[in-house]
Amino acid sequence: MKTSAFLALATSLLLLTLPLEAQESFDDLLIPDGGARSRVHGIQVFPVAGRPFSAKDNIKWTRHREDGSTFTTYLFATVARDSQGRIFREHRHLVPGSTAQQFVQKYFVLLDPVAQTRTACTFSTRRCLISVYLASTKFVPSPDRPHDEGAGSLARESLGKDVIDDLNVVGTRETLSIAPSAAGNTSPLVVVGEYWYSPDLQVNLSVTRKDPRIGTQVLQLVDLSRGEPDPATFHVPDGFVVQDMRIPTRNEKVSPALRP
């Protein structure tokens, strides 16, 4: 009886340890993965002087699943430009809802065309990095033409004129046709972009991108104000450590804690 009880107890202990040993063995084989990240760049803003504004960059991104269902994420962030052409832009997380309180701020960027600096500040580390900023003041669209080696073609058509937030806008539709195998696709792809451009502000007020590879993205500038933004918007807030990553010239010494 004692031997049988001892064997039963030993067997129970062995069974209890097997899952733990299997789990430890699995952990030894598990390799960390960088994963995939989703990011949507907001309305493109160029450093144009004399045309100040502030607005909210409102983004809606709808993607399609293999079973035919869709899932939609939103982003709501501040963007501004002053009379000098300086640009302030927030970058926030996409969230599955349109409530402004849900949008966690990751970092913001200050672009200064006069000082030729790009200052990126991360909230989690309370640190800013300054780099060189050399940007064009306007966008030059590519001409309507077939792509190289028959890979596809780009066509552009006018959508006429309209009014958004009391601003006159001009509409344009671009259709990009991608031939099979040109982008890893087995059948032809059609990518459509619609842009409503304000000649007065020299910025798009509404953009819609329809791409079968990534879904549909609708970008809009909302809560638009034509006034001069608060000057404090274009300075690094207190509590951030600023590091200049630019290469100093012969006659210049750049401090690691230089503020823009």
Side-chain angles (χ1 to χ4, degrees):
M1 292 293 293
K2 291 183 179 180
T3 303
S4 300
F6 176 78
L7 289 175
L9 178 60
T11 303
S12 300
L13 291 174
L14 178 61
L15 292 174
L16 287 173
T17 57
L18 280 177
L20 179 59
E21 291 175 356
Q23 180 65 43
E24 290 174 350
S25 176
F26 179 76
D27 287 342
D28 291 339
L29 296 176
L30 182 62
I31 299 175
D33 175 62
R37 292 172 174 81
S38 300
R39 182 177 181 270
V40 183
H41 194 282
I43 294 285
Q44 182 70 47
V45 179
F46 291 94
V48 181
R51 301 175 189 270
F53 76 91
S54 58
K56 297 291 185 181
D57 206 355
N58 190 17
I59 299 174
K60 178 182 177 181
W61 186 5
T62 302
R63 286 166 282 183
H64 304 273
R65 302 178 62 182
E66 293 183 359
D67 61 2
S69 62
T70 62
F71 63 100
T72 304
T73 51
Y74 299 84
L75 191 150
F76 206 64
T78 301
V79 59
R81 181 178 63 198
D82 68 1
S83 294
Q84 300 180 42
R86 296 184 299 179
I87 299 170
F88 168 85
R89 170 158 251 148
E90 288 181 330
H91 291 267
R92 297 177 179 265
H93 289 287
L94 287 159
V95 298
S98 56
T99 305
Q101 285 80 1
Q102 297 179 4
F103 303 123
V104 178
Q105 193 174 30
K106 295 190 296 183
Y107 65 99
F108 65 89
V109 175
L110 303 173
L111 304 174
D112 191 333
V114 179
Q116 296 184 339
T117 56
R118 178 187 186 272
T119 305
C121 300
T122 305
F123 279 92
S124 60
T125 61
R126 309 293 289 182
R127 183 179 180 184
C128 301
L129 298 179
I130 303 176
S131 57
V132 176
Y133 173 64
L134 299 173
S136 173
T137 58
K138 64 179 180 179
F139 171 71
V140 180
S142 58
D144 301 1
R145 60 178 177 82
H147 283 197
D148 296 337
E149 301 178 357
S153 62
L154 175 66
R156 187 176 288 111
E157 60 181 306
S158 173
L159 297 177
K161 298 181 179 180
D162 205 341
V163 177
I164 299 178
D165 283 342
D166 297 327
L167 288 169
N168 295 323
V169 290
V170 180
T172 303
R173 178 185 291 118
E174 289 186 344
T175 303
L176 174 62
S177 301
I178 304 175
S181 74
N185 50 312
T186 57
S187 60
L189 294 177
V190 177
V191 179
V192 179
E194 294 185 358
Y195 310 91
W196 290 95
Y197 175 77
S198 166
D200 189 12
L201 281 184
Q202 296 188 18
V203 68
N204 288 314
L205 299 187
S206 177
V207 173
T208 301
R209 308 168 182 152
K210 297 181 179 179
D211 189 330
R213 297 166 297 181
I214 62 173
T216 301
Q217 298 174 352
V218 179
L219 294 71
Q220 296 176 317
L221 286 184
V222 299
D223 298 338
L224 184 66
S225 173
R226 297 292 306 277
E228 189 75 26
D230 185 351
T233 303
F234 303 93
H235 295 280
V236 176
D238 293 336
F240 281 79
V241 176
V242 183
Q243 182 177 1
D244 198 325
M245 305 300 292
R246 296 172 296 172
I247 300 175
T249 61
R250 262 183 210 178
N251 299 322
E252 178 187 12
K253 292 183 180 179
V254 179
S255 169
L258 180 68
R259 289 191 176 275

